[in-house]
Amino acid sequence: MSAARSIRVSAAVITDAAGRLLVVRKTGTTAFMQPGGKPEAGESAAETLSRELAEEVGIRVAPADLRPLGEFTAAAANEPGFEVVADVFGADIGDQEPKAAAEIAELRWITRADADALEIAPLAREYFLPAEI
């Protein structure tokens, strides 16, 4: 069996005061996932995430203010036969209010209980859903 092809991404773990995780759903897809995306040429993982957060949800976080959480691998939600290799960062957004923009159709703040009724991307489901409150 051949190894899964991989897609490199940067992804954010953003939680609110209630401990809920921010997830987004891209237009034309069904799975909710963490905000983030693929790097452009020459970008560091943190630069990619800073740009993607601004484009997708209107949140401004400088690359230097992102907290590296590590590299995580999971099945890709929207691309069968692929896995995502994600550089994941914690992001403190202060009082900024995320708003769906660019290719984002919907965003939600979720708990682990909410995830039972939603299609959640494997990366978020396996590693970053908050513990029960």
Side-chain angles (χ1 to χ4, degrees):
M1 181 158 184
S2 64
R5 295 168 290 172
S6 62
I7 302 166
R8 174 65 71 166
V9 299
S10 292
V13 172
I14 300 172
T15 54
D16 66 6
R20 299 175 303 170
L21 178 70
L22 178 66
V23 292
V24 298
R25 184 178 60 77
K26 296 184 180 195
T27 302
T29 68
T30 56
F32 284 86
M33 61 189 59
Q34 295 150 257
K38 299 172 186 149
E40 292 182 352
E43 280 184 328
S44 71
E47 289 166 341
T48 296
L49 187 56
S50 179
R51 175 184 51 78
E52 289 282 351
L53 289 174
E55 291 173 2
E56 292 185 347
V57 293
I59 298 297
R60 305 269 179 226
V61 181
D65 293 334
L66 294 166
R67 295 180 321 279
L69 300 177
E71 181 181 284
F72 297 84
T73 303
N78 298 317
E79 298 175 62
F82 284 82
E83 65 180 13
V84 292
V85 179
D87 292 299
V88 181
F89 297 85
D92 180 358
I93 64 169
D95 61 1
Q96 297 182 78
E97 289 286 332
K99 305 256 187 295
E103 71 268 23
I104 302 304
E106 184 179 0
L107 60 81
R108 293 189 186 186
W109 293 98
I110 64 166
T111 64
R112 184 168 290 280
D114 296 330
D116 292 339
L118 295 172
E119 183 181 347
I120 305 294
L123 183 75
R125 183 176 291 282
E126 292 170 20
Y127 299 108
F128 300 109
L129 279 176
E132 280 307 319
I133 304 170

